[in-house]
Structure formats: C-alpha cells, structure tokens
Amino acid sequence: MNNKNLASVVNRHQQQNALFSTVPEVKEMKHDALQIINHAIEAVNPYVAVQSHVRVNNEKGNLEVGSHHMDSSMSSFHLGDNGGFEKIVVISFGKASSAMATALVQQLKGMEDTTKLIDIYGAVICKDDHATPEEETELSNAGIQMFMASHPVPDERSADAADYALKLVQEHASSTTL
C-alpha cells in the first residue's frame, strides 16, 4: 500500500468514527493515535528519508550523506573543482526509486555554483505508474533516464533498464565519479 492509499484509509476511518469521538477522552486518544500514524507515514516516506539524510553544505561545496544527528555516521563528498567529484551517477530502482532520485536531484540543485561544475547522469527503474509526471520531468531535466518496468516479476523492460544502468556505471567509472 503506498502512502496515498494509506492516508486515504486513515481519512476514511476518521470520517466513519466522527460520532464516537464526541467523548473528550476518546477524542484526545484518537487525535494522539492519528498523530502517531501520520508521523510514522511521514518517517517512511522515501522522498522525506532522502531529503533528511542527504544535504548540501554550500560553505564547503560538499554533499553530506548520513544521519545528521550523529556526526560519526555521516559521509561528506566534495563536489566540483579543487579535487572534488566532477560527475554523479544516480542509479535508483524499485517502487520508490523516482521519489528518492527526485529528492537527491532537488538537494543537488541547492548547491550554489557547484552544479555548474559537475555532470549528472543516471537511470531510475520504476514500477509502472509509480512515478509522478513531476518526478519524471525533474529527473529528465537533470539528465536522468527514467525506465518503467514490471514488478514483482521482471520483464524485458526490466532487463533492458538494468543493462542501461550497468553500462552507464561502467562508462562513467572513475576516481572523479560519485
């Protein structure tokens, strides 16, 4: 069940139980339970997860990846000139791949002048109808190729997309590629 369907179920449940929630204690408990559910849904949202674990540090020209609550678990990658990475190859696959790749691209767009100095390539392999038109546009504008494929059983499109992703990684593999 995707986040939209789960939110729809929660919303319908709220409407069906409107009469029962007139008792103040029940109303407060229900409010608390719904807050917990909404926070849980937001915590597992793939877009939000990437946005909260991948950040741009414009002062240093770095892309920082990891938990920002614990410095020891964060990796930092210098981008652009002065010995930094000159290319980024994004490979993302699965039902949430378009959301995750879009979050990364949007973070990279936040790097002031660095994105002018790096090239972005990529392949996103997504289940049919799991990418929004906005995600497809954002990824295409960033130079990332979108592929729709079958799930859970791979099809020929899945194999073609995987071949493209492997070729892309092989083609751009170097010490200046992230």
Side-chain angles (χ1 to χ4, degrees):
M1 182 179 302
N2 65 34
N3 291 343
K4 288 180 185 177
N5 290 343
L6 188 54
S8 175
V9 169
V10 170
N11 187 31
R12 190 176 26 198
H13 184 28
Q14 286 176 314
Q15 292 171 354
Q16 290 172 348
N17 291 315
L19 292 175
F20 185 64
S21 63
T22 57
V23 177
E25 294 83 14
V26 173
K27 189 174 183 176
E28 185 177 338
M29 288 171 38
K30 187 173 183 177
H31 176 266
D32 291 347
L34 288 172
Q35 268 192 314
I36 292 167
I37 290 169
N38 287 332
H39 286 299
I41 291 169
E42 190 68 17
V44 297
N45 179 316
Y47 179 89
V48 172
V50 172
Q51 284 280 318
S52 65
H53 286 86
V54 178
R55 297 225 175 121
V56 168
N57 183 331
N58 279 312
E59 280 183 30
K60 296 179 181 179
N62 288 350
L63 182 66
E64 297 173 345
V65 180
S67 174
H68 296 279
H69 303 292
M70 302 180 337
D71 287 338
S72 62
S73 68
M74 188 174 350
S75 298
S76 186
F77 304 95
H78 182 70
L79 302 177
D81 57 356
N82 298 324
F85 290 101
E86 297 169 2
K87 293 189 256 184
I88 295 178
V89 176
V90 177
I91 304 296
S92 183
F93 53 92
K95 292 188 286 185
S97 61
S98 61
M100 293 185 299
T102 299
L104 175 62
V105 165
Q106 289 177 347
Q107 288 289 46
L108 291 170
K109 283 171 54 176
M111 295 198 78
E112 293 170 352
D113 292 326
T114 306
T115 51
K116 296 175 188 169
L117 303 172
I118 60 170
D119 294 318
I120 300 173
Y121 305 92
V124 172
I125 307 167
C126 189
K127 180 180 178 179
D128 289 314
D129 301 322
H130 272 67
T132 67
E134 296 81 13
E135 291 168 342
E136 290 182 34
T137 300
E138 182 89 38
L139 295 171
S140 176
N141 290 342
I144 297 174
Q145 178 72 40
M146 279 285 305
F147 295 90
M148 296 300 163
S150 176
H151 179 78
V153 179
D155 60 9
E156 188 173 336
R157 298 172 304 155
S158 307
D160 291 344
D163 287 343
Y164 178 88
L166 287 171
K167 181 179 174 186
L168 192 66
V169 169
Q170 291 168 344
E171 183 179 317
H172 294 286
S174 78
S175 62
T176 60
T177 300
L178 176 61

